[in-house]
Amino acid sequence: MGMNETTGKELDGFEHLKQSIRRLLTTPIGSRVMNRTYGSRLFNLIDQPINPVTQALIYQAVAEALDQWEPRYELEQVSLHRYEQGALTINLVGRYVPTGEQVTIENLEV
């Protein structure tokens, strides 16, 4: 169980997972004082030129972060919903491990 970042109310299950994934992907590696390795490389990619190489690096950064830090979610697919310099919205498809259910997280702003 966790707490909703905006309302302070209790949050659990899949909703808590979505919040945790958003926090993980929006945290630059090295920015957490007590855990410098936590986060993702997306922060370094968000202002890069929009091209297929950067797109592949974005997919890789998402997969690496989730693989290392989020055991409740097995990523199967990443796609870009909106991609412009300084703004990135992604869709994720994967398996929610506690239930084994395949779930989609859409329009995740990072």
Side-chain angles (χ1 to χ4, degrees), residues 52-90:
V53 172
T54 304
Q55 186 173 342
L57 291 171
I58 289 168
Y59 293 160
Q60 182 181 17
V62 169
E64 286 173 352
L66 291 174
D67 185 54
Q68 182 174 0
W69 294 106
E70 190 45 79
R72 297 173 294 169
Y73 194 70
E74 292 177 356
L75 181 67
E76 296 172 3
Q77 180 181 358
V78 180
S79 61
L80 293 173
H81 177 73
R82 184 178 68 132
Y83 180 34
E84 45 193 63
Q85 210 140 10
L88 180 64
T89 305
I90 60 174

Side-chain angles (χ1 to χ4, degrees), residues 3 22-23 29 36 56 68-69 76-77 85-86 90 94 99 103-104:
M3 180 175 36
R22 186 175 45 74
R23 184 179 315 121
I29 292 175
R36 295 284 185 193
Q68 182 174 0
W69 294 106
E76 296 172 3
Q77 180 181 358
Q85 210 140 10
I90 60 174
T99 64
V103 293
T104 301

Side-chain angles (χ1 to χ4, degrees), residues 21-32 35-46 57-66 68-69 88 90 110:
I21 288 173
R22 186 175 45 74
R23 184 179 315 121
L24 168 64
L25 296 179
T26 58
T27 300
I29 292 175
S31 66
R32 285 222 171 154
N35 191 352
R36 295 284 185 193
T37 60
Y38 178 85
S40 79
R41 294 182 300 112
L42 288 178
F43 184 79
N44 298 328
L45 299 169
I46 199 98
L57 291 171
I58 289 168
Y59 293 160
Q60 182 181 17
V62 169
E64 286 173 352
L66 291 174
Q68 182 174 0
W69 294 106
L88 180 64
I90 60 174
V110 292

